Amino acid sequence: MAESSLHLLYFAWLRERVGLGAEDVAVPPGVATVADLIAWLRRRGPGYEAAFGTTAPVRCAVNQEFATPDAAIAAGDEIAFFPPVTGG
Amino acid sequence: MATIRVQHEAIDVAADIAALTAGRFDIGGIASFIGTVRDMAKGRRITAMTLEHYPGMTERALAAIAAEAERRWRLLGCTLVHRVGPMAPGETIVLVLAASAHRQDALEASAFLIDWLKTRAPFWKKESFADGTEEWVDAREADDLAAARWGALSG
């Protein structure tokens, strides 16, 4: 199987720790869920480890809908990571 | 059909109420929630608040929240306006309007709309303090409890 291309977005303190707000990545075939993606991202560098390797809660959306760590991901998906929301 | 806006500009509450009611004579009441920036947090003075959001998902989430309110209550109009970017203490962050023929629908719907907005719409607040430091605001358990009293999505 070929690598899958994903569009990733980071918001609030995740954006600051990763060091960018958006990027396109190609992930290997074994990365099939949000949890897999987080594990893969953490190995990409210290910024990612600072963003995802913390006890602070991280939320996710797949194609602009809230998703849980077991959610499946597929090539072309837009996947966003952010802290629990604090609007209003 | 709800009015949904995310904007950098200051929110003009009177203008949004006028737009909601223009040409309408079936509305018996309008309930509002107007959220404003406080100048203190955890005993420290705040000089500014900055709101970040997820363009695209924000509008979808707000539309879904308004649609849920329209399913649950007999509304004749509904407005959700949220400000983003930097703002000063005293300024309006969010405006919720619900219009109905009788007050109970409008009052309950406006409380529901702000409770769900606070827990389901992708906005994040950052506070700037008088000593020059900045901090992202933590989500509050009280907000989750307030939203939970309305139950799950019905549609």
Side-chain angles (χ1 to χ4, degrees):
Chain A
M1 267 172 62
E3 293 187 327
S4 295
S5 174
L6 304 172
H7 185 57
L8 305 185
L9 298 168
Y10 308 101
F11 293 98
W13 57 259
L14 278 113
R15 171 178 53 72
E16 292 176 343
R17 292 186 190 181
V18 170
L20 37 86
E23 64 178 333
D24 292 310
V25 297
V27 297
V31 177
T33 65
V34 168
D36 294 339
L37 177 61
I38 290 173
W40 182 81
L41 285 169
R42 282 180 66 176
R43 295 195 294 270
R44 297 188 84 209
Y48 294 91
E49 177 60 21
F52 293 102
T54 140
T55 55
V58 172
R59 300 284 187 262
C60 174
V62 176
N63 298 326
Q64 304 189 354
E65 299 282 351
F66 288 106
T68 50
D70 60 348
I73 57 177
D77 281 351
E78 175 177 299
I79 300 171
F81 294 102
F82 42 79
V85 301
T86 56
Chain B
M1 198 55 194
T3 297
I4 307 286
R5 283 202 324 277
V6 178
Q7 64 185 45
H8 281 84
E9 301 75 31
I11 295 174
D12 183 340
V13 173
D16 272 301
I17 293 174
L20 182 64
T21 56
R24 300 287 298 264
F25 301 97
D26 52 346
I27 292 172
I30 301 141
S32 64
F33 177 82
I34 299 161
T36 54
V37 180
R38 281 186 306 270
D39 68 352
M40 294 287 282
K42 292 172 260 175
R44 299 165 70 194
R45 183 158 298 280
I46 291 171
T47 54
M49 174 90 87
T50 304
L51 265 287
E52 180 171 327
H53 79 120
Y54 180 173
M57 181 174 170
T58 309
E59 291 81 0
R60 284 173 60 152
L62 294 177
I65 293 164
E68 180 70 16
E70 288 170 336
R71 274 193 291 274
R72 294 186 184 204
W73 289 280
R74 294 157 73 92
L75 298 183
L76 297 172
C78 176
T79 299
L80 295 177
V81 184
H82 207 297
R83 200 161 162 209
V84 293
M87 54 203 88
E91 294 190 308
T92 300
I93 306 178
V94 63
L95 169 65
V96 172
L97 299 174
S100 59
H102 303 284
R103 71 181 182 285
Q104 207 62 33
D105 289 283
L107 287 167
E108 289 182 10
S110 62
F112 164 85
L113 285 162
I114 188 60
D115 284 349
W116 267 33
L117 184 154
K118 276 182 163 289
T119 53
R120 291 173 183 250
F123 293 98
W124 301 277
K125 288 189 183 110
K126 186 181 222 181
E127 293 167 337
S128 303
F129 295 96
D131 63 6
T133 59
E134 295 184 326
E135 284 178 23
W136 291 99
V137 173
D138 287 328
R140 297 171 67 238
E141 188 184 7
D143 289 335
D144 289 334
L145 293 173
R149 74 192 161 112
W150 301 105
L153 195 70
S154 72

